[in-house]
Amino acid sequence: MHKICILGCGISGALTAIGLSKNGICSDVIEIKPEHDILSPNDPRTTALNESSISYMKEIGVWSKIEPFTNPIRDIFVCQNMSNNVLHMSGYG
């Protein structure tokens, strides 16, 4: 049995497990979703990464595998469900 248990194998759980492993710390990851849902997620959400997140991913050796699937943020649209109000921010990236 390991001393660290990570609940959920989303991006945070997976990166935490990899980071611990790279530092010689074993952990157990517990995920309720079936493996096929994790490997082929049908989830429209996305993740924004800041420079600190990218540095961490480089440090644990996963950034080179993730980077080809990334794009800079050029526009941000913020809205609330059922509302006609939209905040548009542009000029990023």
Side-chain angles (χ1 to χ4, degrees), residues 46-71:
T46 188
T47 300
L49 303 172
N50 61 27
E51 290 297 322
S52 294
S53 297
I54 294 169
S55 294
Y56 175 71
M57 288 185 206
K58 287 178 181 177
E59 185 178 320
I60 64 171
V62 299
W63 180 244
S64 62
K65 293 176 178 23
I66 294 171
E67 186 177 20
F69 303 99
T70 65
N71 289 297

Side-chain angles (χ1 to χ4, degrees), residues 2 6 11 14 17 25 28 37-39 41 47 49 51 53 58-59 63 68 70-71 75 78 82 89-90 93:
H2 301 113
I6 300 168
I11 190 168
I25 301 169
D28 292 312
D37 285 353
I38 296 168
L39 297 176
T47 300
L49 303 172
E51 290 297 322
S53 297
K58 287 178 181 177
E59 185 178 320
W63 180 244
T70 65
N71 289 297
D75 289 285
V78 182
M82 306 300 288
M89 297 175 278
S90 64

Side-chain angles (χ1 to χ4, degrees), residues 7-16 29 31 38:
L7 301 178
C9 192
I11 190 168
S12 297
L15 290 174
T16 300
V29 179
E31 174 59 60
I38 296 168

